[in-house]
């Protein structure tokens, strides 16, 4: 009962905020929702399948470019938005089939290489606009309705996030979700129980990519512009930090982590643009703070903010086995 009340309260605040925020705050609000959308997939991938991907930014970019190219080609924006997660999911399925044979840091570096290759290729191709990118992307709209302001995109973003959360919760509560929980505990034990480990890893990898692609599709319509510089490697690291800070394998953890890191990044950007700060300050501050945050979380809250707070509130404390 308390959980439902909390969900309704959060939903009410979410719907009310676009009406009271100014344009600059709405921009942060939209970016926060997009980051949360991707982070839910990262949390699912790392928390259940145990796979570390440093290439979620690549699927974010694939979704953005897919929607942008279709919209600029004359297709209805809704078609572009629907195609964005599909294109990202298909790409993940093709890429993941060989890559998911790798584990640990080998997989992380391989997915990072995928993003670097994608950025290099899109910067060279003519139909993607090269390094300049694609400009003049039409506003999102359905029929005669058009999203003409930041508030409309805020509602669109959070509607997309609600869809992502609904799909994730249904997956976790389903029979495959129980298999995923077994997979997260021990791949060897899961395989010995008859669970197709490789297939489930690929499905989760594909689903997380679809979430990133949906976020990318909304992003391209919101900004009206996409380029390789819109999807730096740092953005993939940022999603990892968000998932770890909030708590892996939890939907609320992804939301809390995305909110905390997005607000932190905005604060760092404001600090880095103060008079007298060098031009390289934003990137240096971001990398340094991400490192400090990750080290702090691993040392003091290895499970993440949401599991740690939930444990404190419920009064449950972890105990070491006594073996007596």
């Amino acid at each position: 009962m308390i959980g439902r009340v909390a969900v309704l309260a959060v939903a009410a605040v979410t719907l009310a905020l676009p009406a009271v925020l100014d344009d600059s705050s709405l921009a942060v609000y939209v970016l926060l929702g997009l980051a949360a959308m991707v982070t839910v997939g990262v949390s699912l991938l790392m928390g259940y399948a145990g796979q570390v991907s440093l290439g979620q930014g690549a699927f974010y970019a694939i979704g953005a470019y897919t929607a942008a190219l279709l919209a600029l080609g004359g297709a209805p924006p809704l078609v572009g938005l629907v195609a964005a997660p599909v294109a990202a999911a298909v790409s993940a399925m093709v890429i993941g089939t060989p890559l998911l044979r790798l584990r640990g840091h080998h997989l992380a570096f391989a997915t990072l290489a995928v993003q670097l290759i994608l950025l290099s290729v899109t910067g060279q191709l003519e139909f993607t606009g090269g390094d300049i990118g694609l400009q003049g992307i039409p506003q999102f709209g359905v029929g005669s309705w058009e999203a003409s302001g930041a508030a409309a995109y805020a509602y669109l973003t959070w509607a997309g996030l609600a869809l992502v959360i609904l799909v994730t919760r249904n997956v976790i509560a389903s029979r495959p979700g129980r298999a995923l929980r077994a997979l997260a505990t021990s791949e060897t034990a899961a395989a010995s129980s008859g669970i197709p480990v490789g297939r489930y890893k690929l499905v989760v990898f594909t689903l997380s990519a679809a979430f990133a692609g949906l976020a990318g599709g909304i992003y391209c319509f919101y900004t009206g512009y996409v380029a390789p510089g819109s999807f730096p490697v740092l953005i993939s690291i940022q999603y990892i930090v968000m998932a770890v800070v909030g708590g892996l394998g939890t939907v609320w953890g992804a939301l809390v982590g995305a909110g905390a890191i997005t607000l932190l990044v905005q604060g760092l950007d404001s600090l880095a643009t103060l008079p007298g700060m060098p031009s390289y300050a934003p990137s240096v501050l971001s990398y340094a703070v991400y490192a400090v945050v990750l080290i702090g979380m691993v040392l003091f809250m290895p499970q993440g903010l949401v599991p740690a707070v939930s444990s404190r509130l419920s009064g449950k404390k972890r105990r070491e086995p006594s073996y007596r």
Side-chain angles (χ1 to χ4, degrees):
M1 183 65 182
I2 297 177
R4 292 183 179 179
V5 172
V7 170
L8 290 175
V10 170
V13 172
T14 300
L15 294 174
L17 279 176
V20 299
L21 295 176
D22 56 26
D23 287 343
S24 61
S25 298
L26 274 174
V28 177
Y29 193 61
V30 171
L31 294 177
L32 192 158
L34 295 176
M37 210 178 298
V38 183
T39 307
V40 169
V42 173
S43 181
L44 185 66
L45 179 64
M46 293 179 63
Y48 284 92
Q51 305 301 304
V52 180
S53 172
L54 291 177
Q56 291 303 107
F59 302 118
Y60 190 56
I62 288 172
Y65 271 100
T66 298
L69 288 170
L70 287 173
L72 290 172
L78 181 60
V79 173
L81 186 59
V82 171
V86 174
V90 171
S91 301
M93 187 175 297
V94 173
I95 294 169
T97 300
L99 288 191
L100 291 178
R101 298 177 184 272
L102 303 174
R103 295 185 179 183
H105 63 277
H106 295 97
L107 176 61
F109 288 141
T111 53
L112 176 62
V114 168
Q115 182 169 353
L116 293 174
I117 293 170
L118 178 68
L119 293 177
S120 177
V121 171
T122 53
Q124 299 297 323
L125 295 177
E126 183 177 352
F127 76 92
T128 60
D131 289 329
I132 297 175
L134 301 174
Q135 304 179 28
I137 300 171
Q139 295 286 336
F140 179 80
V142 179
S144 60
W145 177 81
E146 185 176 273
S148 57
Y153 281 101
Y155 287 120
L156 176 63
T157 298
W158 287 86
L161 179 58
L163 175 62
V164 166
I165 292 173
L166 179 63
V167 171
T168 302
R169 292 183 67 87
N170 285 337
V171 167
I172 293 173
S174 66
R175 184 175 179 180
R178 292 191 291 272
L180 285 175
R181 286 195 287 274
L183 177 61
T185 303
S186 172
E187 287 188 20
T188 304
S192 64
S193 300
I195 296 174
V197 174
R199 187 189 308 169
Y200 274 90
K201 283 184 178 180
L202 182 60
V203 168
V204 176
F205 187 69
T206 302
L207 185 61
S208 68
F211 293 164
L214 177 60
I218 296 174
Y219 173 81
C220 88
F221 289 117
Y222 174 60
T223 60
Y225 166 78
V226 291
S230 305
F231 314 98
V233 172
L234 183 61
I235 198 171
S236 292
I237 298 175
Q238 181 175 302
Y239 297 139
I240 298 292
V241 175
M242 289 175 176
V244 172
V245 167
L248 296 176
T250 65
V251 173
W252 283 106
L255 301 182
V256 171
I261 298 301
T262 299
L263 295 178
L264 178 61
V265 168
Q266 294 301 318
L268 291 175
D269 288 343
S270 300
L271 177 62
T273 54
L274 291 175
M277 296 294 285
S279 59
Y280 55 80
S283 59
V284 171
L285 283 175
S286 295
Y287 280 112
V289 170
Y290 288 160
V292 171
V293 169
L294 277 177
I295 292 172
M297 292 302 299
V298 170
L299 288 177
F300 303 107
M301 289 186 180
Q303 292 183 316
L305 285 173
V306 170
V309 172
S310 298
S311 180
R312 290 286 182 87
L313 291 177
S314 62
K316 296 180 180 179
K317 298 182 179 179
R318 287 183 171 269
R319 297 179 179 178
E320 296 294 333
S322 60
Y323 298 107
R324 293 179 181 176

